[in-house]
Amino acid sequence: MSLRLALCGCSQALQWSDCLQRLDGVSVTTVADADPAVAEAAAPQFGTASRVASCEQLLSTAGDNWDALVISGELAGSAEVTQNALAAGKPVLLENPPQETTTLTTLDAVAADSQVSLMVGGSLRYAPALSTVQQSVASGQIGAPGLLRAHRWVPAADITVEASLENGLLLDEVDLALWLFGQLPNHVLTSSSMAPGTDPGCVQIHLGFPDNGMALLDWSALVQGAGYFSLSLIGSQGAAYADDHHNTQLLFQGGAPAGLNTTGGTCGRLGQLREFIAAIAEARTPGCTISDACAAAQVHQAACDSLNTGQAFRWTGEAYQSCN
Amino acid sequence: MGNGESKKRFRAAVLSVVKHAYVPNGVAAHPRFELAVVADDADQPDWVHQRNEAFAYQHNIPYVRDVAQALTDYDVDLAVISSEAERHCDLGVRAAAAGLHVILDKPLSTQLSECDRLVAEVDERGVKSLLWNRNYLPALVQARELVQSGTLGQLQAIHVDFYFAKDAGPPRGSRGPDDPPINWLESLIAAHVDGSDGGVGNKPMGELEIEGIYPLAYIRMLSGVEVEKVFARTAAHFHQRNVDNQVDDLATVTLQMQGGLIGSLCIGRIGAASHPDIGEIKLHLVGSEGSLVISEARPEVAVYYRGQDRQEFPHRRIAGENDFLLMENFAQAIDHNGPTILDVRGGRQIAATVAAALESGQSGQLVRVS
């Protein structure tokens, strides 16, 4: 299959280029970025790729030059760019969807009308370790999921000023929980070591699912050092453990040894891209849809409301409401 | 006796030993303690007397079917209580009222009112108390040293995973339509053979109630603060016995603690297939100056060999001195009128946290710890 991609958002062009080396017949032919200089620098990494002045001009000035659109990373105005591409019959991979459920619903409707594929990037779903965990569930190896535990610790240096629960701090983890349990939680409680509206510090979301499943998802800022991720999923017939602690190597340079993680390289992004391409080729719904993003956003909003009110929230069948 | 030979040797009465005997055995292993007598009430059922007698025979000490007599006639200093959980506090109250120090197996009780009665008696008599725990495992000692040294700065969050990868009778869904529900007491009496009878008693208890004391004692020791509110989800996910008796074998608990500290607990008896060893037991601590991930099992040595029994854990824990250090702590507390690592007041607070979590599991709401 031959597929020409437009890449909108070029700050991680090197990673995309690396992925494309592993795919036959797929190329980036057009690039655009909100910062023209970034697009200019990225274009040579894709050989003869042309660049356009802005993401909004991808269709108007180079629409014949590409078949599908990849919107990489955070991008202001991504919803409009996505909507225009869908309306023109171009499949879209939207890595970071907006959180507003009304916007997501609109995009879903446009994709349905146009009968083209709209895939949402779930950055955790395609991480090698976590796709392996999910396969252990999907294959029935570990039985019915019962308890999901995830810790994510982020170095302070990597935390942007916008990082907060309101801005989707644990959205990826919530999406992961919904994916693994295959349903919406009926209970949501959020706790934080800090007051709402201040620095994130430590935040944890506690979910309860209708079939007695449960999840605890926490996020913490690390004063220094590298990040850390740990996940365990306890099923009725077994368990899966994806744990940086287990995968830590030791570096001796005097004093106590430093722990080094052996990472999966670009495998996560590659898996995401492979799924997007396969969904187009097979004319099927991609593995992660706008409906999934909508569900995660809804639960995450309940988590925000829980933190702000200090109350547990319950699913009524239509919305999340305070238990009190 | 080594350097302790000049110090007083304490004599213990074992008041009922109906489940795994690691508590009285742990007491007896310390050179400053000796078991003098086993005792229980005469009106206890035959299986209780049989286990008491067997333990007394094993230790070559008498078995007396009269608790009051044992407490007065054998010149004992302390009572070691390893009965069914619902009798722990009553036996403890009677021992404390006789002026004896008390050591109790977990959980402290199945009723908070019983815990309160024991706390009041221990306070009034001024005796020492110890609720058996795992706070002196090497990894926990290390974690405590790192917290107390200030290496982590001010603690902000503490999370504990506490999974026992053990089976507990037939799996969930295995009961036929005409089969009767599994009787809790009969099932736990039968479980004595492999030592998985920690919940033996008339009142069914879930994993949170039976084993929750261990991780909650870690959190209590490391944080030094009380739990104020909890939110919990509980389920009988694995074992038919738990389904039939409407008690959990899997639970998650959010802990909101004094000073804005947050915590959480994941606990379960998750089945032998879920882990190659006793289970994943980990602590995650986040501080203002550093963070820490601790595996409770370490240090350990891995041993694999052809024909290895599947029941055998290939990773063997080493350098474990929990029993000795618990009893050393208890002896020091008596010698110097100091605190123990976990007394009945702390045990009562843990029981209250568990009770609030069970209530939250039912109501789906945040519950304040009484």
Side-chain angles (χ1 to χ4, degrees), chain A residues 149 204 206 223 228 241 243, chain B residues 161 252 254 264 282 284 288:
Chain A
R149 160 77 101 172
Q204 67 184 37
H206 196 158
V223 180
Y228 170 82
Y241 306 93
D243 186 355
Chain B
D161 293 338
T252 45
T254 287
S264 65
K282 274 193 173 175
H284 288 77
S288 60

Side-chain angles (χ1 to χ4, degrees), chain A residues 216-307:
Chain A
L216 267 168
L217 316 167
D218 69 78
W219 185 101
S220 293
L222 285 176
V223 180
Q224 55 189 348
Y228 170 82
F229 186 84
S230 167
L231 177 143
S232 54
L233 180 64
I234 310 299
S236 57
Q237 305 294 326
Y241 306 93
D243 186 355
D244 280 354
H245 190 198
H246 184 75
N247 291 320
T248 296
Q249 319 287 13
L250 298 179
L251 171 65
F252 291 84
Q253 281 186 314
L260 302 177
N261 289 131
T262 305
T263 65
T266 59
C267 290
R269 184 156 270 154
L270 179 62
Q272 180 177 272
L273 190 54
R274 278 196 168 124
E275 169 61 14
F276 180 55
I277 294 163
I280 294 170
E282 297 162 17
R284 62 167 171 81
T285 304
C288 185
T289 66
I290 209 81
S291 297
D292 297 322
C294 218
Q298 195 171 19
V299 174
H300 198 273
Q301 183 57 51
C304 293
D305 294 341
S306 172
L307 183 63

Side-chain angles (χ1 to χ4, degrees), chain A:
Chain A
M1 172 188 171
S2 174
L3 185 71
R4 300 172 303 162
L5 297 175
L7 178 64
C8 183
C10 298
S11 61
Q12 296 178 60
L14 193 59
Q15 281 194 37
W16 287 108
S17 171
D18 200 28
C19 289
L20 289 172
Q21 290 177 22
R22 292 158 170 79
L23 298 171
D24 186 30
V26 183
S27 58
V28 168
T29 54
T30 309
V31 297
D33 194 280
D35 182 348
V38 173
E40 181 77 34
Q45 295 181 44
F46 301 103
T48 58
S50 62
R51 60 174 182 81
V52 296
S54 71
C55 295
E56 290 72 21
Q57 294 177 39
L58 270 170
L59 268 174
S60 57
T61 64
D64 294 337
N65 199 32
W66 52 275
D67 308 309
L69 175 63
V70 174
I71 301 180
S72 172
E74 299 281 351
L75 177 73
S78 65
E80 186 181 351
V81 174
T82 302
Q83 193 168 336
N84 291 339
L86 292 171
K90 309 271 194 183
V92 179
L93 168 57
L94 179 57
E95 270 209 312
N96 289 80
Q99 286 183 60
E100 302 80 29
T101 51
T102 50
T103 308
L104 293 171
T105 305
T106 301
L107 291 178
D108 202 21
V110 174
D113 286 347
S114 308
Q115 296 187 312
V116 291
S117 190
L118 171 56
M119 176 171 159
V120 168
S123 59
L124 290 180
R125 291 190 186 209
Y126 296 95
L130 303 185
S131 58
T132 301
V133 171
Q134 195 274 340
Q135 286 162 17
S136 74
V137 177
S139 65
Q141 287 175 325
I142 68 168
L147 193 160
L148 172 68
R149 160 77 101 172
H151 306 281
R152 184 149 62 103
W153 294 353
V154 180
D158 293 350
I159 300 172
T160 63
V161 289
E162 298 86 16
S164 68
L165 197 64
E166 286 73 15
N167 286 333
L169 203 62
L170 279 156
L171 197 54
D172 286 343
E173 278 81 357
V174 168
D175 173 67
L176 189 68
L178 271 54
W179 185 45
L180 293 171
F181 283 97
Q183 57 186 180
L184 279 176
N186 52 358
H187 290 93
V188 181
L189 177 88
T190 308
S191 305
S192 171
S193 63
M194 314 292 278
T198 61
D199 291 339
C202 305
V203 183
Q204 67 184 37
I205 297 177
H206 196 158
L207 306 176
F209 291 89
D211 294 340
N212 285 328
M214 53 197 85
L216 267 168
L217 316 167
D218 69 78
W219 185 101
S220 293
L222 285 176
V223 180
Q224 55 189 348
Y228 170 82
F229 186 84
S230 167
L231 177 143
S232 54
L233 180 64
I234 310 299
S236 57
Q237 305 294 326
Y241 306 93
D243 186 355
D244 280 354
H245 190 198
H246 184 75
N247 291 320
T248 296
Q249 319 287 13
L250 298 179
L251 171 65
F252 291 84
Q253 281 186 314
L260 302 177
N261 289 131
T262 305
T263 65
T266 59
C267 290
R269 184 156 270 154
L270 179 62
Q272 180 177 272
L273 190 54
R274 278 196 168 124
E275 169 61 14
F276 180 55
I277 294 163
I280 294 170
E282 297 162 17
R284 62 167 171 81
T285 304
C288 185
T289 66
I290 209 81
S291 297
D292 297 322
C294 218
Q298 195 171 19
V299 174
H300 198 273
Q301 183 57 51
C304 293
D305 294 341
S306 172
L307 183 63
N308 290 330
T309 61
Q311 304 292 331
F313 275 61
R314 191 192 305 267
W315 177 247
T316 64
E318 295 180 348
Y320 286 99
Q321 291 185 353
S322 169
C323 287
N324 278 22

Side-chain angles (χ1 to χ4, degrees), chain B residues 22-71:
Chain B
Y22 60 65
V23 175
N25 285 337
V27 173
H30 192 283
R32 290 192 62 192
F33 293 84
E34 63 179 311
L35 305 184
V37 62
V38 179
D40 212 328
D41 294 320
D43 60 358
Q44 289 300 305
D46 289 345
W47 69 273
V48 170
H49 291 304
Q50 287 164 10
R51 290 187 182 175
N52 290 335
E53 279 176 337
F55 184 83
Y57 179 80
Q58 186 185 352
H59 286 263
N60 196 27
I61 54 178
Y63 174 49
V64 179
R65 297 189 184 208
D66 184 329
V67 170
Q69 182 194 342
L71 298 185

Side-chain angles (χ1 to χ4, degrees), chain B residues 2-113:
Chain B
N3 290 335
E5 60 189 290
S6 61
K7 295 181 179 174
K8 174 179 168 58
R9 192 173 168 92
F10 302 107
R11 288 168 58 81
V14 179
L15 302 186
S16 200
V17 54
V18 301
K19 49 192 171 187
H20 41 49
Y22 60 65
V23 175
N25 285 337
V27 173
H30 192 283
R32 290 192 62 192
F33 293 84
E34 63 179 311
L35 305 184
V37 62
V38 179
D40 212 328
D41 294 320
D43 60 358
Q44 289 300 305
D46 289 345
W47 69 273
V48 170
H49 291 304
Q50 287 164 10
R51 290 187 182 175
N52 290 335
E53 279 176 337
F55 184 83
Y57 179 80
Q58 186 185 352
H59 286 263
N60 196 27
I61 54 178
Y63 174 49
V64 179
R65 297 189 184 208
D66 184 329
V67 170
Q69 182 194 342
L71 298 185
T72 55
D73 290 359
Y74 287 84
D75 190 26
V76 290
D77 305 288
L78 68 146
V80 182
I81 298 161
S82 193
S83 63
E84 308 93 310
E86 60 253 32
R87 293 202 295 139
H88 282 169
C89 285
D90 184 63
L91 289 167
V93 166
R94 289 150 68 185
L100 301 185
H101 308 294
V102 289
I103 295 175
L104 302 104
D105 198 355
K106 50 82 188 173
L108 187 54
S109 178
T110 56
Q111 292 183 67
L112 268 185
S113 58

